Amino acid sequence: MSSDPADAPTPPPPGPGPGPGPGDAAVPRQEFDALFEAVRTWGRWAAADRGAWNRVTPDHVRRAAALVRSGTVVPLGRPWDTRPGPDNARPALHYMSDLGDVEAPEPSAYKDFLGVDYHGKGVSHLDALSHIAYRGRLYDGRPAREAVDAGGARFGSVAALGPLVTRGVLLDLPAVLGVDWLEPGHAVHVHDILAAEEALDVSIGDGDAVLLRTGRFRRRRETGPWNTDAASAGWHVDAMPLLAERAIALLGGDGDSDVRPSPVEGLHSPVHALAITAMGVPLLDNLDLEALSAACAEAGRYAFLLAVAPLNVPGGTGSPVDPVAVL
């Protein structure tokens, strides 16, 4: 594949989004369990609570830094959302705690409070490895009831992850398909990854952070919010073996990665279980990728430096984040 931005194809102009993909039959639990075993990386790293972030070395960081050409910086986090809605059942909190009338008069000080129950669909956040258990086990086989209690996580906390700088790859499915967005319920399959790599002249490699754009926030701005717990575009479980084979370090997108309704019988978030619990791959949820889509189209390339700096919260199962892409 060519690495020259001038040689990269220009995605077709967008149109109306498609509906859910046809033929997405339910995945039996037995088939899912076999898939879980196939992608599992338990026992691979001494620093197990960093999971797939162990893959990112100083060489990966240097290669990512070499992708910076124009110096364009694109923030990916959503605005702090304090408004309740069908996709924001637990709004973030923001209020003023000092209006210059609490301390001595000079200089006057103005302070505010932030609070958030961030796991959900309203806040851009990172899921750490302590966030999801399957059959009572966290990543690396750690018993969830022993590792997580009311005091927080003693294994797989977000504090163990620290910051990540690596190569980011945007799989811009609406640009590939020539649509504005993928309709809620649209499942992204393994063949969609291969088609996106070819159309966007990019290839997913080891240590990469893969971001999936479904066009969720363009759709939200144009048609209004909807209940994304009930219906959202996202990954089908059949895409995960290829992502595991490519040895990615991070998976994220403008949703929470899972297609909804779930295609797997009896599991509400099967991609969460495969990525976090089996593969040790943290997830970035609810990123606004519209500006990045435009920047990548303008630059003619879909790989960039990505920096993610979660809050240092000992025992935390994740963190609000505002990741940054640099082209």
Side-chain angles (χ1 to χ4, degrees), residues 70 157 162 166 188 197:
S70 68
S157 80
T166 193
V188 178
E197 286 183 316

Side-chain angles (χ1 to χ4, degrees), residues 23-37 134-135 236-238 262-268 270 274:
D24 287 331
V27 176
R29 189 66 163 270
Q30 183 177 7
E31 184 177 327
F32 174 83
D33 286 342
L35 186 57
F36 187 97
E37 291 301 314
Y134 182 58
R135 296 192 182 280
H236 191 276
V237 294
D238 71 11
S262 167
V264 180
E265 298 171 348
L267 286 181
H268 61 80
L274 292 175

